[in-house]
Amino acid sequence: MPTSNIAPLLKAQCDHVIDTAADFARRISQGTLSALRNSSAELNTAMDRRLIFTVAEALQIHHNAFDQAVAHCLKNQILEALSQLSRDMRLPTSTSRISISELSLVSDDEAEATVETSRIVQLVKLDAEWELAEWQSCCAAVLGEKDLRAESNPLRPEVYAQALSDAARVLNLDPPPRQLLLRVAGQVLAKQLKETYSQLIHRVQQQGVQPLAYRAMVQASAPNQQVDVTQPGQLDALLHRLPAKSPSQRPDPALTALLASSQANEVDLQALSGLSHLLEQMVAQTASQPTVQPVVRQLQPALFKLAVNDSGLLSRGDHPGWQLINDMLAYVAGFSRQDDVSLKQFLSGVQPLINRLIALPNPVGVDYDLARQEVRALIEKQDAQLLQDREAELETLREADHKETLRPLLQEQVEHQLRDRTVPLAVGDFLRGPWVEVMILAMTSKELGEDESQCLVNVVDELIDSLQHPTSQEAKQQLRDLLPDLTATLRKGMALIDMPPHARATLMEQLMAVHGRFLRSPPRPRPELTPEEIVQQMREEHVESQWLHSRSDALDTGVDDLPTIPMGLEDHDSSAAEASAAAWVDHLQIGTWCKLTTRGHWSTARVVWISEHRHFFVVTLERTDQLVTLTRKALIRLRNEGLATELQDRSAVQTAADQLIESLPH
């Protein structure tokens, strides 16, 4: 990996860390084992002792492999961080179009891994806050930079956290013990990094390096919202509070022309003057985007005419006129490079639309609603061009989207069929899990005929009926006649989903035992139950159904399901948080920009494709110029952990209104 333009002193420190990585890895594993064996009170309340034992046993047996994996992964992560730093210093900007060879998938498991590394990073930042800040200042000084950047530190906590997460795979732990391992190892890592950073600071200071002086970092923040422009009358009240322009101020040419026309006979002059202030503020807000600012300025005359014909523009911040500006600015806001090809194409595409709006003699809100639809179509068409060579992958996602939509419907159907019926637990688990996958395949496969698919779907009722004790000789004979075809269909379905051979054999043995007992024993007429027996049966069925229901979630075999986070590792109200995260994901649309964390890196991302039922999202990552696919579950998980957020959550008109209020005398 080319790192020739990295300062030799910084490169030497990275080489030193790589050379001592094996010893560092041993300290991590030994410290983790010690913490697990001592099992503090916190761990005992958060985890079952058997879980702690599982992790400790795996680490004890495979500690050599784990140590080697940590050292190897740490070396790779440091070299990659150095390579990225070198590229950033050598090629600060790029104007090329996105080029991909494949659609990468950020699966639910990878989203969970991102959450794991994020938690480790937080542990390090809490435990080694001063040492990390001082070392980052040293890195900036060595590189000759004037500002602190996390990316200038190739030994940042994210590098170590990702290495630890990658190395944990060699232990082949299930999700709950894996998460416990990373939680405990993360605490050990934080303490070790505190010492490592201290040593690195001492090494570079001996070479005469003085850390970059600390400076107060002023975060740009929006003014306090004192008026909600989406509420009726709020915007109108604000416009009337704004002072009229003085003679010394430059008059707005568009407003002057409008006032001189016959259209302004009954216009609210104070509101129009306030509108002029508001539009000028919106133009000023786009000063940092020289390619975008003319678009807002060009729309000013059209908006003045709209205000005369449609008073809603002056009274409602959610008027189609304002929403059109919000839509355009929200889309262009995510482009970090003003010479980006996609940005230029968009601005070129909306220019005829703007010209048409300006030319309208008597515009109304409907005209701007139609314009918004055209902008939305333009965005979708432009983003679809990024995927024009990936139709095969998109078709696979469409099929998966359809399957994900079918799964909860079929699971609910199976639950209904099992209601008030008695079956062995293993059979209930089988029908709720693997056989749901068989039915999904039967309904979506183009290779199975209609009759063949229907037979697979009918298995649920047939299997449940076969497990009810025959009540007559006729029912017994019907069971005998049913079993050959039922057995053949079961075997075929299990083969279709590649169910493990031992699981198939275990299930068939249990079914044969039950069916054999039914066929050997005499029919059992259903007896008349006493009132007391009816009550007892209802109680037993209720307890069993509740137990089965609790088991069904754990036995769901849905593809890429997120692992369950053990008690003690989950630190938020999951129901409320997930509902909020799901609502955020539901609000995403093609062209929406957001910030995402994947594998320890924050990236600006733009949604370019959404499957019909919104189970899959394709986004571009500006950091790597890469297209990736995220499942709905992965996005919800990232959002829930604060690892996915909106790029701009305030409308342009609201921001301008807030800034104008701040400028008013109190």
Side-chain angles (χ1 to χ4, degrees), residues 535-552:
V535 172
Q536 181 61 27
Q537 180 178 338
M538 291 173 63
R539 287 175 177 169
E540 292 174 352
E541 289 176 349
H542 175 72
V543 171
E544 182 176 354
S545 66
Q546 291 295 315
W547 191 84
L548 283 173
H549 179 71
S550 66
R551 287 269 294 166
S552 66

Side-chain angles (χ1 to χ4, degrees), residues 51-85:
L51 192 59
I52 298 174
F53 176 78
T54 298
V55 178
E57 183 182 40
L59 193 55
Q60 177 66 45
I61 295 174
H62 304 291
H63 67 90
N64 286 333
F66 181 72
D67 292 349
Q68 293 172 7
V70 170
H72 175 74
C73 293
L74 182 57
K75 175 183 176 180
N76 289 343
Q77 288 293 322
I78 293 174
L79 291 177
E80 175 58 33
L82 282 170
S83 179
Q84 183 63 49
L85 178 58

Side-chain angles (χ1 to χ4, degrees), residues 239-443:
L239 296 179
H240 282 85
R241 287 179 58 191
L242 297 175
K245 288 191 174 182
S246 64
S248 61
Q249 290 180 297
R250 179 185 174 187
D252 190 299
L255 179 58
T256 302
L258 179 65
L259 294 177
S261 70
S262 58
Q263 288 180 294
N265 291 335
E266 299 181 2
V267 73
D268 186 337
L269 298 179
Q270 176 62 35
L272 279 181
S273 176
L275 177 61
S276 179
H277 282 291
L278 187 64
L279 291 174
E280 287 179 1
Q281 181 62 47
M282 295 176 72
V283 170
Q285 288 170 193
T286 58
S288 61
Q289 298 173 294
T291 58
V292 178
Q293 194 176 38
V295 175
V296 181
R297 184 177 286 115
Q298 286 178 7
L299 278 172
Q300 283 183 291
L303 290 172
F304 281 128
K305 287 193 289 184
L306 179 61
V308 173
N309 290 280
D310 188 341
S311 60
L313 183 72
L314 300 174
S315 60
R316 291 174 29 233
D318 58 354
H319 186 277
W322 299 124
Q323 289 183 329
L324 174 64
I325 294 180
N326 290 335
D327 291 346
M328 291 193 294
L329 292 184
Y331 181 69
V332 302
F335 292 98
S336 59
R337 303 186 298 267
Q338 293 300 299
D339 57 353
D340 190 287
V341 175
S342 296
L343 175 60
K344 289 183 175 181
Q345 285 184 344
F346 175 75
L347 295 176
S348 176
V350 299
Q351 191 59 53
L353 170 63
I354 294 172
N355 294 339
R356 192 169 72 250
L357 290 174
I358 294 173
L360 288 174
N362 297 295
V364 291
V366 174
D367 296 317
Y368 283 76
D369 273 327
L370 294 174
R372 291 187 68 204
Q373 295 176 22
E374 291 185 45
V375 170
R376 170 59 40 205
L378 176 63
I379 292 173
E380 292 179 359
K381 179 181 178 181
Q382 184 168 303
D383 287 340
Q385 292 175 354
L386 296 174
L387 303 167
Q388 59 187 355
D389 298 328
R390 316 295 338 153
E391 187 56 36
E393 288 89 339
L394 292 182
E395 184 59 31
T396 300
L397 290 177
R398 292 187 188 101
E399 293 176 3
D401 181 61
H402 185 45
K403 291 178 181 179
E404 288 297 318
T405 303
L406 283 174
R407 182 171 288 109
L409 299 176
L410 292 175
Q411 288 172 335
E412 183 179 354
Q413 175 183 314
V414 170
E415 287 293 344
H416 178 75
Q417 291 169 290
L418 284 169
R419 193 172 300 152
D420 301 327
R421 308 297 295 274
T422 301
V423 299
L425 291 177
V427 175
D429 295 342
F430 169 72
L431 291 176
R432 292 182 180 92
W435 200 257
V436 166
E437 301 305 315
V438 173
M439 291 192 291
I440 290 174
L441 190 59
M443 293 180 173

